[in-house]
Amino acid sequence: MRDVSPVRACRASYARLSPVHAPCRYMRADYSIEVGSDTWRLCIAWASTMVIVYPVGIPALYLVLLWRSLPRINPRRLGDEVTTEHELARMRARDTSIRSIRFLFDAYRPGCWWFELSELFRRLLLTGLLLLFFEGGLLQILVGLLVATLFLLPLSYAVPYLHHVEQNLAAS
């Protein structure tokens, strides 16, 4: 049986081409897609769109969802009653109208409803930005450490978690 792998086919076609012609190239992620083909252009267009949509669109969606429900997520103190943040958190936990977005704020104090957005940006910076711009090497490690250290500041200042165990775990 003859081996017709894309790499061998590329080498074979390159051997038949004159030195003026460039060799055929394939995508690293899928060797069945030749660089420059219509499928490749579609993949590039889709990937370029998603590189913009995900880091901008998802945080924007989260912000809109949180902002629209802010009075129920961060209930104001009732009159002259002194209510603790744990009581306010129990009040919002009983509110069924915000059940579908509870994952965005449930672990945080009512006044720190925004903290999941901060966490999302931290994750995007540490996983996306570092891989796109600082691939491999010492600079990637240094920028990663700098980003992680900078995001410790709002964590330490705001103390966003309802429970001290979660706060200590996030800070460690």
Side-chain angles (χ1 to χ4, degrees):
M1 183 161 187
R2 192 170 168 206
D3 182 18
V4 288
S5 70
V7 175
R8 187 174 297 265
C10 181
R11 284 190 201 137
S13 66
Y14 179 70
R16 287 192 298 265
L17 293 175
S18 68
V20 176
H21 296 6
C24 59
R25 297 172 300 177
Y26 294 90
M27 287 179 59
R28 273 190 224 164
D30 186 351
Y31 287 122
S32 69
I33 299 175
E34 186 175 344
V35 173
S37 68
D38 290 338
T39 307
W40 178 79
R41 285 187 188 88
L42 180 65
C43 289
I44 293 298
W46 179 257
S48 300
T49 303
M50 289 300 114
V51 162
I52 301 300
V53 167
Y54 189 83
V56 174
I58 299 297
L61 174 66
Y62 283 3
L63 180 62
V64 167
L65 290 172
L66 288 167
W67 192 260
R68 284 181 44 209
S69 303
L70 188 56
R72 292 182 300 279
I73 293 171
N74 186 14
R76 300 287 179 220
R77 299 187 191 281
L78 305 171
D80 291 336
E81 287 183 43
V82 176
T83 52
T84 65
E85 288 195 325
H86 287 282
E87 290 171 355
L88 292 172
R90 280 193 289 275
M91 285 173 54
R92 74 177 183 193
R94 289 190 295 264
D95 190 347
T96 59
S97 66
I98 54 176
R99 181 176 295 163
S100 62
I101 61 168
R102 189 167 286 151
F103 70 97
L104 292 173
F105 59 83
D106 204 32
Y108 309 115
R109 296 182 302 119
C112 293
W113 57 271
W114 51 269
F115 198 74
E116 186 62 29
L117 291 171
S118 172
E119 282 293 293
L120 180 62
F121 281 118
R122 181 185 64 84
R123 290 182 205 125
L124 283 171
L125 287 174
L126 287 174
T127 58
L129 183 73
L130 287 179
L131 290 177
L132 288 176
F133 297 110
F134 304 110
E135 188 175 349
L138 185 61
L139 186 60
Q140 186 177 29
I141 295 169
L142 291 175
V143 171
L145 285 171
L146 179 68
V147 168
T149 304
L150 286 176
F151 275 89
L152 274 176
L153 296 174
L155 180 69
S156 300
Y157 179 73
V159 189
Y161 290 95
L162 273 172
H163 305 289
H164 295 292
V165 173
E166 292 171 347
Q167 179 69 30
N168 293 339
L169 184 62
S172 62

